[in-house]
Amino acid sequence: MLQCVTTLRDPLVGVTKSDVLAQAFGLYTVGDLLRHYPRRYYTRGEPTDLASLRERDHVTVLARVFSVNHIRTPNAQWGNAPRRGSQRLEVTVTDGYARLTLVFFGKGANAPAHQIREGRLGLFAGTVTRFRHQWQLVHPEYEMLPDSSMDEGLAAEHAADYASELIPVYPASAKISSWLISRSIRKVLDRLDVVADPLPEAVRDTYHLMGLHEALEAIHRPRDRADINRARDRLKWDEAFVMQAALAQRRLAAAAMPAVPRPPEPGGLADEFDRRLPFTLTAGQREVGAVIAHDLSCAYPMNRLLQGEVGSGKTVVALRAMLQVVDSGGQAALLAPTEVLAQQHYRSITAMLGPLAASGQLDSAERATQVALLTGSTKAKKRRSALADVFTGDAGILVGTHALLEDQVQFADLGLVVIDEQHRFGVEQRDALREKAPGARPHVLVMTATPIPRTVAMTVFGDLEVSTLTELPAGRSPITTHVVPAAERPRYLERAWERVQEEVAAGRQAYVVCPRIGDVPGEEEAAGKRGRSADEVEDTDGADAPGDDEDAPAERRPPLAVLDVAAALDDGPLAGLRLGILHGRLHPEEKDRVMTAFKDGDLDVLVATSVIEVGVDVPNATAMVIMDAERFGVSQLHQLRGRVGRGRHAGLCLLVTEAPPASPARDRLDAVAATSDGFRLSRLDLEQRREGDVLGAAQAGRQSSLKLLRLLHDEELIALARQEAGAIVAGDPQLAEHRGLSAAIDTLLGPRRAEFLDKS
Ligand code: ADP
Ligand code: MG
């Protein structure tokens, strides 16, 4: 009998091509193979819709043979060279409407001719190509189905394979066909030992779910559609439940770690700061603040994700938490993803604190502390003094980039780690910071401005508690967004530049954003690719529009570049204005100089890449023109435009694009223009990405543990699973009474998967 943990290489399993299964699909064990579910099911009466084929796709189609032609070309004399005759077999198959040609050349043409006959139904697999306006598969793999009406004497084994009306179609590749996978799975199912069910019986009963063994049988060998649905419901539960149980265990373990309580101190810096605040906190800021203040007072570490719209005032919330920790004698570190953002945080924090941050100086407040800054470009002398102040504890707050993670950075007593814009940091970085508090763990607050739908938060960030700031501070000005179709309406683009001129004439400032820097070798290619790796943290240039390929015109010009656009504007529509340039390749000092000049109003227009996407805060900037806007992702555009409308004056954002009307790219831009609700947009963004992308870069190129579960569509199920799993784990933390579940968690957290949960 086979166990789920039995490896597929074991000769007793009798699976052919186990190496291909491992390489192509990450299937190593019997259990893995059984969780390789059919992508769809064909029925004999319903052949594949051939009209829906797309070039270069690897497909498995069910179709009926329409005609078979054996074509021979005789030997011939071509010029002086004699040419041997050739032969090929051309088979046309049909779904009843459209047709597809199968071509077999040379010797390969003989074998199929015996099996492929007119009128027969078969499965054909291969890569779709186009030849003379006709879809074709060259040398496809094929599997003819037994046909009751004309018994062809097929091997009995094959007949049994397709006894059911429903033919499962598996994710397959050129190296292994769907029906070979299907056959292996059936072999394994026939000899499968009783499998321990990860879902406790009580849960199965409550939600009317079938047992695991039964579900695996039903999804691979369904008797009817109802079987498939019931199996899917059940197997989806597994995915949600096992993951939530793993996360619940993690939360428990984290809560068991000691942390130093940092209770608020009446009359301390935090209170003094509140007293001096030039504005009133929003209700949300106050509520979240109270929750965090309580978390910090506990003897186990806070692990909280603070999410909130761009401009919702997360920094103030974080700063108040940092001051509470300083009041109780500890230190706080604020980690920012880019140099520009670290510097800006440093500046705004020292400004907000005023005399409270001037300890040791004449005009300091009585209980003042110091704020230190440490980035990759901090000069040796400043760096030494920052390190010393942090080491002695004179600096209560340290702001910086990942330079903070270096070994030389040693705290007197690190009590709180704040991470801004979470999505750019990997777990290793967070752990490195945590370890700077030896003995006890620091409290951790993660802030993100990319709103995360509830289910993703529950899954990807499952071991963090989540707080959300929903309202914007009063007095914010609305941002109007328009799509500027530069190709159809050149006049609109001219008007866009006039608007920038008008804003500047009224004493305000503008951003012009481009997807690319320009003049950097290899960059064109890179800008077209999407996503960025975690180690590119500092250089955030490059747009990452999802689903680029579908709507790409055949010949795309390279994306517009900062250097080219700046030059063209300077010579043309924005001549006479003071333009500055900002991108990731500038020297840090130069970046800082440009940002300061823009902030001080010494520049009218900043032409930049998406480096300005996060956190940049210049209230006097009111207009933003985004060039080649379709090259950016939906959430990214939303982040970008959050840079304007931060002051008293209304913001204007213009999305310039050459994408044709009604194209998917244009629809995306219209959606961004139509709503300012970040949650709706981030949902839209996620819907267009594949699930693996949703779970983050750690998943790239790896098998996702989620096969049936859809984070965006199975909200309710995930919430229920979280609740049930939490209860089970609370009652039996080691899962001693829940063997099936504990085994499933081990599989989930196996070496290939541990990283994934660690994302949180
Ligand atoms: P984000 O959440 O995007 O990080 P910030 O923390 O940068 O937002 O806040 C944006 C701006 O709003 C800052 O200039 C900050 O001082 C200001 N701000 C924060 N809270 C309030 C408030 N309650 N009332 C008015 N202005 C506020
Ligand atoms: Mg911020």
Side-chain angles (χ1 to χ4, degrees), residues 568-635:
L569 290 175
D570 198 27
D571 264 357
L574 300 187
L577 302 192
R578 296 165 301 170
L579 304 189
I581 286 178
L582 189 73
H583 57 73
R585 296 264 153 79
L586 288 181
H587 191 278
E589 266 173 39
E590 173 68 4
K591 263 191 238 173
D592 191 31
R593 203 189 56 71
V594 174
M595 256 336 278
T596 311
F598 188 64
K599 209 163 182 158
D600 293 348
D602 296 336
L603 291 172
D604 300 315
V605 178
L606 194 59
V607 186
T609 55
S610 55
V611 273
I612 58 151
E613 172 188 350
V614 273
V616 169
D617 189 19
V618 179
N620 192 47
T622 48
M624 174 176 284
V625 182
I626 304 179
M627 309 302 292
D628 279 347
E630 77 283 358
R631 309 258 182 173
F632 297 90
V634 167
S635 292

Side-chain angles (χ1 to χ4, degrees), residues 26-37:
L27 309 175
Y28 298 92
T29 62
V30 164
D32 288 349
L33 181 62
L34 290 173
R35 304 251 175 198
H36 190 66
Y37 304 132

Side-chain angles (χ1 to χ4, degrees), residues 258-309:
V260 179
R262 315 278 180 178
E265 180 160 310
L269 271 178
D271 283 355
E272 185 60 24
F273 175 77
D274 282 356
R275 231 174 36 77
R276 290 162 175 263
L277 261 183
F279 46 73
T280 2
L281 294 173
T282 64
Q285 283 172 321
R286 271 201 309 277
E287 278 160 33
V288 174
V291 171
I292 293 176
H294 171 264
D295 283 356
L296 293 174
S297 316
C298 294
Y300 54 87
M302 169 173 82
N303 248 324
R304 187 166 290 279
L305 174 72
L306 172 57
Q307 59 176 9
E309 274 283 357

Side-chain angles (χ1 to χ4, degrees), residues 309-315 341 344-345 420-421 447-449 614-616 643 646:
E309 274 283 357
V310 183
S312 57
K314 295 182 291 293
T315 319
L341 196 51
Q344 181 170 305
H345 270 315
D420 196 12
E421 311 297 348
M447 303 194 287
T448 173
V614 273
V616 169
R643 303 303 119 214
R646 296 173 82 86

